[in-house]
Amino acid sequence: MTTDVRADLYPTRGSAELITPRQDPVIWSAPGTPGPVAVKDLQGFERDGFLTVDELITPAEVDGYRAELDRLIADPAVRADERSIIEPTSQDIRSVFEVHRISEVFARLVSDERVVGRARQILGSDVYVHQSRINVKPGFGASGFYWHSDFETWHAEDGLPHMRAVSVSIALTENHDTNGGLMIMPGSHKSFLGCAGRTPKDNYKKSLRMQDAGTPSDQALTRMADRHGIRLFTGPAGSATWFDCNCMHGSGDNITPYPRSNVFIVFNSVENAAEEPFAAPARRPEFIGSRDFSPVG
């Protein structure tokens, strides 16, 4: 009698760090497939792992989404919800997850063709929302997000088998070069860095506040930065950055007076539905890694 062993293309959370060449395409749609992303921008996404849109949503729309963000973080019921992550020092709200289910306003943004259309074009299929959240990064001390690959976590702890997911960060405040903006290592999405160390039980309870498991070593990060460089993203409210699920990225603390808030949406291909975790003892909650694979729109 034989037992089927599930193929793991991207081993991680073992005894040592391990680099694996990417086994999956970056652009999944066939050349010439129509969509809102121009050919040159698709080529840039293939090469660098990201693309920027100067005005994805209008100033008037930004005002509406900002007002909704402010309403949510002021709501005591939202603060008490397990989907809200609290800053460990200031006790301010850091993030609110599954925001497209909490808010009809953000639900409409997820299904807006300017947003979901780009995801379908990059991933070459219908898509569902693997994760959504608003990130609130007020001034004077909001903490950053340390260097990581999202796919490393989503593979290890949520069970995404392939690199067929894309994220979009939509700015609701201006992204200065000083207020903790997103940083990406261009081209880093072409190699998978499997991290060392086992995944603790209920790791998400700690990692959403301060990362530990799934964090690359200083030596590995230095090698990657030397090879790829680091790009810092700035831009006005309403601008957006799309990036591949395997990009090495992070952001610094915000010690300026100027807040940096954004909407963050992860689209995964319906053909890449989450399985059981590849390197964790149990699934994370659905508000972090959705098990509802219904296509958007």
Side-chain angles (χ1 to χ4, degrees):
M1 179 178 177
T2 58
T3 301
D4 290 336
V5 177
R6 182 174 55 156
D8 183 357
L9 298 178
Y10 302 105
T12 189
R13 311 284 174 99
S15 59
E17 287 183 320
L18 179 65
I19 296 178
T20 303
R22 187 184 182 112
Q23 306 294 304
D24 294 307
V26 177
I27 304 297
W28 288 77
S29 59
T33 300
V37 185
V39 171
K40 66 178 180 61
D41 291 329
L42 285 177
Q43 292 170 341
F45 190 92
E46 163 73 32
R47 180 188 66 245
D48 298 327
F50 58 80
L51 66 88
T52 57
V53 179
D54 291 337
E55 187 182 287
L56 184 70
I57 57 176
T58 67
E61 290 172 313
V62 168
D63 290 343
Y65 292 123
R66 281 277 300 279
E68 179 68 355
L69 181 150
D70 292 341
R71 182 190 72 80
L72 290 171
I73 63 175
D75 186 339
V78 171
R79 182 183 177 84
D81 194 295
E82 67 172 345
R83 291 172 287 190
S84 293
I85 309 302
I86 309 300
E87 285 275 3
T89 52
S90 68
Q91 295 299 299
D92 292 330
I93 289 180
R94 173 189 178 105
S95 301
V96 180
F97 280 80
E98 212 171 41
V99 71
H100 71 296
R101 297 196 184 279
I102 293 175
S103 164
E104 292 183 5
V105 173
F106 286 114
R108 291 194 293 272
L109 178 63
V110 164
S111 60
D112 189 310
E113 191 60 28
R114 292 171 296 179
V115 177
V116 70
R118 286 176 166 85
R120 293 193 191 104
Q121 187 180 4
I122 291 168
L123 301 180
S125 69
D126 283 333
V127 297
Y128 71 93
V129 177
H130 177 70
Q131 184 186 104
S132 74
R133 66 180 187 260
I134 48 174
N135 291 323
V136 185
K137 208 170 190 180
F140 299 117
S143 55
F145 293 86
Y146 197 70
W147 290 105
H148 63 287
S149 154
D150 286 331
F151 179 76
E152 193 279 336
T153 299
W154 300 338
H155 182 69
E157 300 186 38
D158 297 337
L160 295 196
H162 294 281
M163 294 179 182
R164 199 171 181 180
V166 65
S167 302
V168 59
S169 175
I170 305 170
L172 298 183
T173 54
E174 185 164 358
N175 285 254
H176 302 283
D177 58 3
T178 52
N179 65 342
L182 174 68
M183 295 180 288
I184 294 177
M185 297 185 187
S188 58
H189 62 305
K190 296 292 184 73
S191 298
F192 176 75
L193 179 61
C195 296
R198 300 297 179 184
T199 308
K201 182 181 179 182
D202 292 337
N203 180 54
Y204 74 94
K205 293 180 179 179
K206 179 181 179 182
S207 66
L208 296 180
R209 294 171 174 84
M210 185 175 296
Q211 291 159 282
D212 187 8
T215 301
S217 69
D218 291 352
Q219 294 81 3
L221 289 170
T222 300
R223 288 193 297 269
M224 293 184 75
D226 285 347
R227 178 181 178 186
H228 299 292
I230 296 172
R231 166 81 182 271
L232 171 66
F233 293 86
T234 60
S239 61
T241 303
W242 292 83
F243 58 101
D244 180 85
C245 60
N246 190 45
C247 283
M248 190 62 66
H249 67 287
S251 64
D253 295 350
N254 182 13
I255 62 171
T256 76
Y258 310 112
R260 176 185 171 260
S261 299
N262 67 297
V263 187
F264 184 78
I265 307 164
V266 180
F267 294 102
N268 188 36
S269 169
V270 296
E271 298 173 14
N272 190 42
E275 302 174 357
E276 292 305 309
F278 282 84
R283 298 175 178 180
R284 297 195 298 174
E286 290 207 21
F287 71 83
I288 304 171
S290 179
R291 299 279 163 171
D292 179 354
F293 309 134
S294 304
V296 175

